[in-house]
């Protein structure tokens, strides 16, 4: 998707860039300062509805909070999804504050400390075990708390998913228990008095290719059916992962959601239900639900020309929106979609480089981008900023103040 397509997706009633129908200058006045992140609650709701419409009825939809843990966003999301998936006790607290029942909160992530496991067991959330050591420690935590822990096993699959922005399964991984180690782990858990409720397989993130996701889901189902056969008790819980990507770069096309949904229909009806009955089956999504609903809004502080290159220096940068600078898991730096807000259509265009206010050459938000001519005081907007923005950025780097966040 190119910049124009992103602009078109965020126009308010007056044909100007807006979030939740509020024009960006007006919103900046309401927020009181730039830079800020603005998230559109209607866009989030619409996206969840689109996913629901594509998924088989009865398939659980989880929201992976780490994509955007702003409490207001999580609160908005809580009644729209079946589970909240957390990766720290901080996120667990945000999830429980929404009123979501503890059994509907799942806790994955390597390196859960003893203190965190005690809190998770005391809360009653589902702990997704990442290793045999963690299984032993959760059993101790359960004794300490005097409660029966909810546990499942996160499995590192014996296959890898190509085409993912971030691979988190297959080969050696810090995540999950290798598929071939799961059967011995289940018997060890039995000895520890832990009841394994099921399996979670998360193979990777940011995938735009429906055919690859379809293959990953199919192989995930093969794997969990195989493991279920060896389970000492009927499996009650399956999390098939997610990894649905969003288009960040000009050549990216949106994911074919219908194709992925159709495959999940087939897998659940033809393969899972006949064998496992009314097992709870779900997927978990982060960026796909919130990423496109967010804008990062900055204001031009300086405009200068250096040896033929025009620079727009804005009051934000990589300390708030690291991913747009190309320093969050990208191999080759490419521009995130970007636009100037509130300028007339017929304003002349020019090639500029948009940089942030940090004193490092890494702080580039748009390298040689074509934009309407912008001056000091104009707003420059970076799209696809609803996921892995503020909380995935080095906010302390260079000591500038943090940005505001608003859910409109
Ligand atoms: C990060 C993460 C997600 C969310 O990934 P997205 O690319 O935002 O959808 C889901 N599940 C697990 C286990 C994760 O670690």
């Amino acid at each position: 998707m190119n910049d124009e397509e992103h602009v078109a997706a965020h126009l308010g009633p007056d044909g100007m860039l807006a979030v939740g129908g509020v024009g960006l200058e007006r919103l900046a006045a309401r927020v009181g300062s730039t830079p800020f992140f603005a998230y559109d609650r209607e866009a989030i709701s619409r996206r969840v509805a689109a996913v629901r419409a594509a998924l088989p009825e009865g398939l659980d939809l989880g929201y992976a909070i780490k994509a955007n843990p702003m409490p207001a966003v999580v609160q908005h999301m809580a009644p729209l999804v079946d589970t909240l998936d957390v990766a720290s006790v901080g996120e667990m607290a945000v999830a429980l504050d929404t009123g979501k029942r503890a059994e509907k909160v799942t806790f994955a992530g390597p390196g859960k400390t003893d203190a965190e496991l005690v809190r998770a067991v005391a809360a009653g959330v589902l702990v997704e075990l990442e290793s045999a050591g963690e299984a032993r420690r959760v059993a101790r935590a359960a004794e300490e708390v005097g409660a029966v822990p909810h546990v499942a096993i996160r499995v590192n699959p014996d296959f890898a998913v190509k085409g993912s922005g971030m691979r988190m399964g297959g080969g050696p991984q810090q995540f999950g228990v290798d598929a071939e180690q799961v059967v011995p782990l289940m018997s060890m858990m039995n000895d520890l008095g832990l009841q394994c409720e099921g399996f979670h397989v998360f193979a990777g993130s940011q995938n735009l290719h429906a055919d690859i996701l379809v293959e990953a889901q199919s192989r995930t189902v093969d794997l969990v059916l195989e493991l279920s056969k060896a389970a000492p008790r009927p499996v009650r819980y399956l999390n098939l992962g997610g990894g649905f990507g969003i288009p960040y770069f000009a050549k990216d096309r949106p994911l074919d959601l219908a194709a992925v949904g159709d495959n999940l229909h087939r897998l659940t009806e033809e393969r899972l239900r006949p064998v496992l009955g009314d097992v709870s089956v779900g997927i978990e999504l982060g960026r796909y639900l919130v990423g496109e609903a967010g804008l990062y809004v900055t204001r031009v502080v300086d405009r200068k020309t250096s040896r033929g290159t025009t620079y727009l220096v804005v009051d934000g940068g990589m300390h708030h929106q690291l991913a747009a600078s190309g320093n969050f898991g990208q191999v080759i730096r490419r521009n995130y979609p970007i636009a100037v807000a509130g300028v007339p259509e017929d304003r002349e265009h020019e090639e500029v480089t948009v940089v942030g206010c940090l004193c490092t050459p890494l702080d580039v938000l748009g390298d040689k981008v074509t934009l309407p001519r912008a001056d000091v005081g104009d707003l420059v907007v970076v799209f696809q900023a609803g996921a892995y923005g503020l909380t995935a950025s080095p906010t302390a780097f260079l000591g500038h103040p943090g940005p505001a966040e608003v859910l409109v």
Side-chain angles (χ1 to χ4, degrees), residues 35 296 301 304 312-322 325 327 354-365 393-402:
Y296 177 54
V301 174
K304 60 194 275 194
L312 296 178
V313 186
V314 300
D315 57 2
M318 67 181 287
H319 53 318
H320 303 159
Q321 181 48 0
L322 181 67
S325 75
N327 295 294
V354 180
V355 297
C357 57
L358 299 193
C359 199
T360 160
L362 297 176
D363 195 9
V364 175
L365 294 180
S393 300
T395 48
F397 189 33
L398 277 119
H400 290 281

Side-chain angles (χ1 to χ4, degrees), residues 64 66-67 154 168 200 202 205-206 284-287 388:
K66 81 170 185 287
R154 178 164 176 189
M168 295 171 75
H200 172 203
F202 183 73
S205 199
Q206 180 50 23
E284 57 179 353
L285 301 175
R287 79 184 75 220
Y388 306 108

